[in-house]
Amino acid sequence: MTSEDFRETRTNSALAIVLGVLMILLGIAAIAEPFIATIAITIVFSWTLIIAGIVRIVHAFQSRHKRGFWTKLVVGILYAIGGILLITNIFGAALSLTLAFGIVIFTEGVLEVIAAFQMRRDPNWGWVLFSGIMAIILGIFILYQWPVSAVWVLGVFVGINFLLTGVWMIMLSLASRSLLDHRARV
């Protein structure tokens, strides 16, 4: 391993640790204020759809002489309309997004479990497995409680998910650094 590779790997692991700490802090904030987190997530997602819709509409008109213009235009309009509908009814949007996030968190958990088994030989791969199992449980719980607790469950479980993701990011980065330091000494 060259000194440049060593520095790059060290920088990447430091960045992953910083991102892991940020995920943990966001998770704690969401758990502490679940209603605010739910509303914030709903607003951010709504505006993301609106902006994505505008971008897709602009892209459609930029490529209007190419095949697929109408498809791109319709998809962009649907994104924008969906975002507008969500932003004008935040509580209805929170219900819809709670359902969607339950499905997403469950799916993320399944994919993390698969990834964990693919990286069994890596140190601390169990953290990814643990995070995946917890995400599956959280996804099932969100879907089970919907729609009764949609006002708080989204903020709490997204916070827990961020917290666990931050933990495994830090743990894998620390293991990577430890392995890197060991290789540097040898």
Side-chain angles (χ1 to χ4, degrees):
M1 177 176 271
T2 68
S3 62
E4 185 176 320
D5 291 338
F6 180 81
R7 278 193 305 275
E8 182 180 338
T9 303
R10 200 126 172 91
T11 301
N12 289 342
S13 70
L15 179 59
I17 290 170
V18 169
L19 291 174
V21 168
L22 180 61
M23 290 293 286
I24 289 171
L25 292 175
L26 286 172
I28 291 170
I31 293 166
E33 293 291 342
F35 178 72
I36 293 170
T38 296
I39 298 304
I41 290 164
T42 302
I43 291 169
V44 168
F45 185 74
S46 300
W47 278 106
T48 301
L49 277 179
I50 293 169
I51 293 167
I54 292 168
V55 168
R56 291 191 77 129
I57 291 167
V58 168
H59 179 259
F61 279 108
Q62 287 177 339
S63 61
R64 68 181 164 271
H65 300 295
K66 296 181 182 174
R67 199 176 345 192
F69 164 75
W70 288 106
T71 305
K72 292 175 190 174
L73 182 64
V74 168
V75 169
I77 291 169
L78 289 174
Y79 271 41
I81 290 171
I84 291 167
L85 290 173
L86 291 176
I87 201 78
T88 58
N89 182 4
I90 293 296
F91 294 110
L95 285 171
S96 300
L97 291 178
T98 299
L99 180 62
F101 274 122
I103 294 168
V104 167
I105 289 174
F106 176 81
T107 305
E108 175 191 357
V110 169
L111 294 174
E112 281 185 355
V113 167
I114 292 168
F117 284 110
Q118 290 175 343
M119 57 191 296
R120 274 184 299 207
R121 296 176 190 201
D122 294 346
N124 288 335
W125 70 275
W127 284 102
V128 180
L129 178 65
F130 175 72
S131 177
I133 291 169
M134 294 308 296
I136 288 170
I137 292 168
L138 293 174
I140 289 170
F141 191 71
I142 289 171
L143 296 172
Y144 177 74
Q145 292 292 319
W146 187 87
V148 176
S149 57
V151 172
W152 63 269
V153 84
L154 182 62
V156 169
F157 289 141
V158 168
I160 291 170
N161 188 290
F162 283 1
L163 186 68
L164 292 173
T165 300
V167 168
W168 75 252
M169 288 175 75
I170 291 170
M171 296 309 291
L172 286 179
S173 296
L174 291 175
S176 172
R177 280 182 158 218
S178 175
L179 185 62
L180 188 65
D181 290 342
H182 176 71
R183 285 185 182 167
R185 281 184 261 138
V186 173

